[in-house]
Amino acid sequence: MIAYLLALTLGAQSPAADAASAAGAWLVADVSVIPADTDEVLRHRNVLIRDGRIVRILAPGAKAPVSDADATIIDGRGKYLVPGFVDAHVHIATEGAIRDSKDPVISTLELGQAHGYDRQVMLGFLKAGVTGAANLGGSARSDEDLLWLRGEIAAGRIAGPQLYVGKRINGPRVAVALQPASTVPASKPEAPTTAADGAAAVRQARERGYDFIKPYQFLNRETYRAVVDEARRQGMVTTGHLPELGCASCADRAFAFAHPMDNIAHSEELTRFARIGSDLSPQDLDALADAVAERKIAVTPTLVTLKTIVGMYVQRAVPPVPGDWATRVDPVTRLDWAPPANRYLSQAFRDQDGADTFSAGYDFARVLTRQLWKRGVPLTVGTDASLPGLAFGVSVQQEMIELREVGLRPIDVLRAASINAHRLFDPKAGSGAVREGERANLVLLDADPLADIHNVAKIAGVFTQGRWWPMAEIDRRLDEGRAFEQALSRQIQAHKAGH
Ligand SMILES: [Zn+2]
């Protein structure tokens, strides 16, 4: 039956099958489906996608309704259909971020064409199979850009992942540095030091249309609590840093777990707690894992972030980006990764207290991540891109490999990269699994990711925004932006020559 269907329809395949088209229906024929909400693999399925939804997953031999006949056939033989990946922790570079940059070269770049830079960044996510990305806050103008881009992408006018835009709420750094009270700036919602201003900051973020709140570590005790409580009242997810320890107005460890966020944005946050007091003791590792599990907090380990920072500390160089992704890193990001902009390569970074424990901290975070997983803590895949060495998109695949290497089964890695993130950021929109009725944010892989997690990089194409994006089409669009990137490169070279 399947062979018949393929023979009938592959011959009739239109040229449009190779190009992204605005709306339509696709039938992925004779494909292995990995739904990812269970451990099963469904072999030889015909999957119908229409209007951005998975309409039908037909078992072998099941007869397709006549109404499916308009669907464009995609040959799924030997391929695997998995949920689209989500980066649960990025800081997306936008034109606004470039304008807000303090770097003397970056801030003066002439960008010309509106949002051309942003479009390139968004396409990079699709190239890596990333159909969702949660931004954990940036500069004022980059936050505004992302609220706008979220709408453009949702409307199908710009190609890119579904964006979840977070608002970072942080206190003034000076408040926690044991300064005399007289030097602490007056509280305001933009840098709150009172519960009232903390709650006001959450309400403002909600009114402005942000999807979630990122509480940050320099909030004092009462403000941190107010932010977490108000976000819960407003139905907004919190994912961020744990509060600072060890100053007059700071929280203590018990306080942080008594007023937990929904998700901790780095395993490094827990490692930071373990450095203070216990100096990364193994007993503390168990205590922290237990506390997280008991309070039902989810965690984004961002192991690849730590690995990359440790790599810069040890090697005094930015680790290489995998494969041909090096050629896809845009010139502004490249400049940001080089000295003097790259603070991880600075002497000040090397001189800071505790720098000698960075490597041990990475090891601790890896074992801690394994312990969290064994306790059933929901983990998500996040990267902190575009931190130096971490390119948008491909860093998600790197983090998936990191999670596999600490012992997660490949299916658990896929779950972390998809379903767990959906549950955190977008639970009303479905489960994120490859099931009938779910949104069609999908990746078609050329090889089995359960046999080898590295196969998540072997991408035939992506379904998102109601369309099929064959890899050749994504590459073609990325190449269209090359001239724009070369123009940026020339500006940067001219700056360097002039200084
Ligand atoms: Zn971050």
Side-chain angles (χ1 to χ4, degrees):
M1 172 63 202
I2 287 157
Y4 168 74
L5 182 75
L6 272 177
L8 185 75
T9 44
L10 281 178
Q13 192 173 15
S14 70
D18 291 331
S21 38
W26 290 266
L27 188 80
V28 188
D30 200 8
V31 70
S32 294
V33 174
I34 304 177
D37 55 350
T38 65
D39 290 357
E40 65 192 327
V41 180
L42 312 171
R43 307 274 176 194
H44 304 295
R45 294 307 202 269
N46 291 322
V47 181
L48 181 78
I49 290 143
R50 188 188 292 283
D51 300 329
R53 294 263 153 202
I54 302 163
V55 176
R56 255 183 282 290
I57 301 178
L58 292 174
K63 205 167 155 61
V66 177
S67 60
D68 293 357
D70 64 324
T72 302
I73 306 289
I74 297 165
D75 186 356
R77 285 173 297 184
K79 294 185 166 60
Y80 292 78
L81 196 60
V82 303
F85 312 139
V86 179
D87 192 330
H89 190 144
V90 279
H91 299 276
I92 298 175
T94 66
E95 297 195 354
I98 292 168
R99 296 204 171 89
D100 284 342
S101 172
K102 291 181 180 73
D103 184 280
V105 178
I106 292 176
S107 58
T108 54
L109 289 175
E110 208 47 68
L111 293 161
Q113 140 199 35
H115 292 284
Y117 179 80
D118 302 344
R119 285 171 205 266
Q120 286 293 100
V121 170
M122 296 299 140
L123 279 168
F125 283 110
L126 296 191
K127 182 173 172 59
V130 177
T131 60
N135 193 75
L136 272 78
S139 75
R141 272 186 284 196
S142 94
D143 280 352
E144 290 298 309
D145 280 348
L146 288 163
L147 290 170
W148 178 80
L149 281 163
R150 181 185 64 187
E152 292 300 292
I153 290 168
R157 287 189 288 268
I158 289 179
Q162 183 149 9
L163 295 180
Y164 307 108
V165 186
K167 181 68 183 170
R168 186 175 72 178
I169 300 179
N170 196 11
R173 188 178 257 267
V174 66
V176 296
L178 291 173
Q179 301 284 339
S182 59
T183 66
V184 176
S187 182
K188 52 184 176 177
E190 293 72 34
T193 57
T194 64
D197 282 340
V202 172
R203 287 193 297 271
Q204 283 176 13
R206 187 181 164 84
E207 280 157 26
R208 192 71 194 90
Y210 286 91
D211 294 300
F212 64 92
I213 298 292
K214 181 192 195 185
Y216 207 70
Q217 72 203 56
F218 299 115
L219 291 169
N220 66 25
R221 195 180 168 99
E222 62 164 306
T223 314
Y224 191 90
R225 180 176 177 177
V227 166
V228 169
D229 288 351
E230 183 65 21
R232 189 154 297 142
R233 260 195 296 278
Q234 300 285 338
M236 292 180 89
V237 162
T238 46
T239 173
H241 288 203
L242 292 172
E244 196 76 352
L245 301 177
C247 80
S249 66
C250 291
D252 56 28
R253 200 155 134 171
F255 177 93
F257 288 107
H259 306 284
M261 294 175 288
D262 298 307
N263 184 76
I264 297 171
H266 302 284
S267 55
E268 165 63 13
E269 285 303 293
L270 294 157
T271 306
R272 177 160 64 80
F273 272 36
R275 273 204 184 87
I276 302 165
S278 82
D279 198 19
L280 304 174
S281 84
Q283 293 80 358
D284 208 25
L285 196 147
D286 278 334
L288 284 166
D290 286 343
V292 172
E294 270 163 31
R295 299 315 311 250
K296 300 202 173 347
I297 308 170
V299 175
T300 310
T302 63
L303 292 176
V304 72
T305 318
L306 270 179
K307 183 189 206 171
T308 303
I309 292 170
V310 168
M312 285 188 276
Y313 179 74
V314 173
Q315 307 291 336
R316 297 178 189 245
V318 176
V321 172
D324 61 355
W325 279 89
T327 66
R328 293 288 186 196
V329 179
D330 70 85
V332 181
T333 299
R334 209 179 285 283
L335 187 62
D336 207 34
W337 290 5
N342 183 342
R343 71 182 188 93
Y344 300 100
L345 297 178
S346 70
Q347 194 56 43
F349 184 76
R350 306 189 70 79
D351 289 345
Q352 69 180 296
D353 267 358
D356 56 333
T357 65
F358 287 164
S359 290
Y362 171 56
D363 294 339
F364 187 94
R366 295 183 79 216
V367 181
L368 177 64
T369 297
R370 180 176 173 78
Q371 291 303 321
L372 293 171
W373 168 65
K374 288 180 90 170
R375 284 164 174 76
V377 170
L379 303 178
T380 45
V381 169
T383 67
D384 227 345
S386 60
L387 210 89
L390 296 165
F392 294 117
V394 68
S395 52
V396 168
Q397 298 167 0
Q398 291 175 276
E399 177 68 1
M400 290 167 86
I401 293 164
E402 284 289 308
L403 292 177
R404 176 71 184 117
E405 286 178 352
V406 298
L408 272 72
R409 300 174 307 155
I411 187 68
D412 295 321
V413 175
L414 280 183
R415 209 165 277 155
S418 58
I419 288 169
N420 293 354
H422 283 270
R423 196 173 295 146
L424 186 63
F425 294 110
D426 205 6
K428 291 191 187 106
S431 74
V434 189
R435 296 287 182 192
E436 289 183 354
E438 294 283 350
R439 198 167 42 188
N441 286 345
L442 304 165
V443 180
L444 186 63
L445 296 172
D446 286 323
D448 184 0
L450 303 186
D452 180 355
I453 200 68
H454 291 80
N455 288 338
V456 296
K458 295 176 182 163
I459 299 175
V462 174
F463 284 101
T464 192
Q465 301 177 290
R467 308 174 186 193
W468 164 240
W469 301 86
M471 189 51 74
E473 169 69 8
I474 295 170
D475 282 339
R476 188 185 65 73
R477 291 200 183 207
L478 274 166
D479 288 341
E480 280 174 3
R482 281 287 165 119
F484 173 68
E485 294 194 336
Q486 280 158 3
L488 278 179
S489 260
R490 280 192 294 275
Q491 285 186 51
I492 291 167
Q493 293 312 320
H495 266 286
K496 282 185 180 161
H499 284 96

